Amino acid sequence: MSYSPAHWRRVCDETRRMVADVPLYRDRPAPPADPSAVDTWLKQVPPVGKRELRRGFPKSLVRADQDLSAAMRDERVTLLATSGTTADRLQVIWEWSWWDPQEREAMRLNARIAAAMARKEWREAVLTTPACGAGSCHFGTQTAAERSIDGILFFNESADPTHWTDGECERMLREWCEFAPLGVEADPAYLAIIARAALQRGVRLPSPEFITLTYETTTRAMRRDIARAFDAPVFQLYGATEAGVLFMECEHGRLHPNERHSHIDLEPLPGSQRLARVLVTTLGRAWMPLLRYDIGDVVRVADSRECACGLKSDGPLLERVEGRQSDCIDVAGETLTPLVIDDAIHAALHPSESTLEQWQLAGDTLLVVDPKSADSAARAAAAVGALLHRAIRSERVAAIAPEASGKYRLVKR
Ligand SMILES: [Zn+2]
């Protein structure tokens, strides 16, 4: 990696202030004054996880000179809960003036997205769990105008897309046709359901200039059905409510770091050359700065530091985001990620003919949703069993329910 001296100076200055000002990091050794020594220092700083962020929240994360109540009264910050599963859920001090610019800047790392966002008729829609907090709540029945913030239309208003009624699907398809967004940010599981609903009804949705997928892990089946319904390029936008946008996929399928807003350390997983945990140190963030925060996911590092898109990144390039670390399975010292399991399922099903929509590994049972094929569940389970070196039972089901948070789990113990 070849970060510039200016980057290291910034990491040095910001981490010095974190250790001096933020109670959670007070017991960390002070960073060296010499920016060229910061890398070595940083690698020795113990990571923090969700548990540490929860403990003593929000006081442990507020800087010595900050007045959280006053900032909340002035609406400079708000407290939000992330939408993770219960064990993962976090409260976050959400700072508007930080979130928006760092997200926009990450998106513009992708040339196609940057061009679309520069158009004067730019308009954007979001399809995910309903937003709730910061003075708005999109649960329940509202008009499209009531679900719009700053020109962004939020399609969804119920927590469980497995049970979207025909009426809800048709309302969203109708709003999509009327609004004709140029950019769509979506949870891939949710967008795959809408894509299937459109295909089933023969509704041709106006294709946006691009689709970004975020919020949860994208399986091959989701990508396949999204590609069938939309003639639009699909890119991964990888980040988290508590950490900002960390990586943006370019037109050549590599995820580039959003390095003006965070410094990323990758911790290789034991026994693997390419799989790593992601440790985030945020930059330019007044409220709730993160120092070596373990986001809890596993990523696959790209095999080359060069990318055909021409964008030079000093930080690491990724090939893909593999899923949550807690959903990975260790088999004889090798880490098998949710997407490696997905690869095995996909390979067993002849990709061009596969109609499998969704799967979940629950203990030793592979649940499969595939309304059009009765035998895919057994073939998929055999492939997963061969990968995991243990017997996996198959069960063909009508639906797999999301967690209370509205997100789907790929692996459940
Ligand atoms: Zn690139």
Side-chain angles (χ1 to χ4, degrees), residues 250 252 254 256 307-311:
C250 73
H252 291 267
R254 288 288 176 267
H256 290 258
C307 183
C309 77
L311 177 67

mmCIF file of all heavy atoms in Angstrom, residues 250 252 254 256 307-311, ligand 1:
data_model
loop_
_atom_site.group_PDB
_atom_site.id
_atom_site.type_symbol
_atom_site.label_atom_id
_atom_site.label_comp_id
_atom_site.label_asym_id
_atom_site.label_seq_id
_atom_site.Cartn_x
_atom_site.Cartn_y
_atom_site.Cartn_z
ATOM 1 N N CYS A 250 -16.524 0.185 -8.895
ATOM 2 C CA CYS A 250 -16.373 0.953 -10.130
ATOM 3 C C CYS A 250 -16.956 0.157 -11.303
ATOM 4 O O CYS A 250 -17.471 -0.944 -11.133
ATOM 5 C CB CYS A 250 -14.905 1.283 -10.372
ATOM 6 S SG CYS A 250 -13.931 -0.150 -10.882
ATOM 7 N N HIS A 252 -15.519 -1.426 -13.449
ATOM 8 C CA HIS A 252 -14.760 -2.633 -13.753
ATOM 9 C C HIS A 252 -14.814 -3.644 -12.611
ATOM 10 O O HIS A 252 -13.973 -4.540 -12.511
ATOM 11 C CB HIS A 252 -13.318 -2.273 -14.119
ATOM 12 C CG HIS A 252 -13.244 -1.559 -15.436
ATOM 13 N ND1 HIS A 252 -13.023 -2.210 -16.625
ATOM 14 C CD2 HIS A 252 -13.436 -0.252 -15.755
ATOM 15 C CE1 HIS A 252 -13.058 -1.329 -17.619
ATOM 16 N NE2 HIS A 252 -13.306 -0.132 -17.109
ATOM 17 N N ARG A 254 -14.399 -3.523 -9.348
ATOM 18 C CA ARG A 254 -13.543 -3.480 -8.164
ATOM 19 C C ARG A 254 -14.114 -2.473 -7.177
ATOM 20 O O ARG A 254 -14.632 -1.429 -7.583
ATOM 21 C CB ARG A 254 -12.112 -3.069 -8.540
ATOM 22 C CG ARG A 254 -11.353 -4.147 -9.290
ATOM 23 C CD ARG A 254 -10.991 -5.282 -8.335
ATOM 24 N NE ARG A 254 -10.348 -6.395 -8.999
ATOM 25 C CZ ARG A 254 -11.003 -7.478 -9.468
ATOM 26 N NH1 ARG A 254 -12.305 -7.570 -9.367
ATOM 27 N NH2 ARG A 254 -10.330 -8.467 -10.036
ATOM 28 N N HIS A 256 -13.442 0.357 -4.671
ATOM 29 C CA HIS A 256 -12.396 1.319 -4.323
ATOM 30 C C HIS A 256 -12.700 1.959 -2.968
ATOM 31 O O HIS A 256 -13.853 2.268 -2.679
ATOM 32 C CB HIS A 256 -12.340 2.439 -5.370
ATOM 33 C CG HIS A 256 -11.802 2.003 -6.706
ATOM 34 N ND1 HIS A 256 -10.522 2.262 -7.114
ATOM 35 C CD2 HIS A 256 -12.388 1.313 -7.731
ATOM 36 C CE1 HIS A 256 -10.338 1.773 -8.334
ATOM 37 N NE2 HIS A 256 -11.446 1.189 -8.738
ATOM 38 N N CYS A 307 -6.463 -0.943 -11.403
ATOM 39 C CA CYS A 307 -7.821 -1.167 -11.883
ATOM 40 C C CYS A 307 -7.987 -0.505 -13.239
ATOM 41 O O CYS A 307 -7.521 0.620 -13.453
ATOM 42 C CB CYS A 307 -8.843 -0.632 -10.895
ATOM 43 S SG CYS A 307 -10.531 -0.967 -11.432
ATOM 44 N N ALA A 308 -8.676 -1.207 -14.139
ATOM 45 C CA ALA A 308 -8.857 -0.722 -15.507
ATOM 46 C C ALA A 308 -9.673 0.564 -15.580
ATOM 47 O O ALA A 308 -9.659 1.263 -16.595
ATOM 48 C CB ALA A 308 -9.527 -1.807 -16.348
ATOM 49 N N CYS A 309 -10.388 0.933 -14.497
ATOM 50 C CA CYS A 309 -11.192 2.164 -14.542
ATOM 51 C C CYS A 309 -10.287 3.400 -14.489
ATOM 52 O O CYS A 309 -10.728 4.505 -14.779
ATOM 53 C CB CYS A 309 -12.211 2.201 -13.411
ATOM 54 S SG CYS A 309 -11.525 2.614 -11.802
ATOM 55 N N GLY A 310 -9.039 3.210 -14.084
ATOM 56 C CA GLY A 310 -8.093 4.327 -14.078
ATOM 57 C C GLY A 310 -8.055 5.105 -12.780
ATOM 58 O O GLY A 310 -7.177 5.948 -12.594
ATOM 59 N N LEU A 311 -8.995 4.839 -11.878
ATOM 60 C CA LEU A 311 -9.003 5.561 -10.601
ATOM 61 C C LEU A 311 -7.878 5.032 -9.720
ATOM 62 O O LEU A 311 -7.794 3.840 -9.447
ATOM 63 C CB LEU A 311 -10.353 5.364 -9.903
ATOM 64 C CG LEU A 311 -10.501 5.998 -8.523
ATOM 65 C CD1 LEU A 311 -10.475 7.519 -8.603
ATOM 66 C CD2 LEU A 311 -11.802 5.540 -7.862
HETATM 67 ZN ZN ZN B 1 -11.816 0.623 -10.726
#
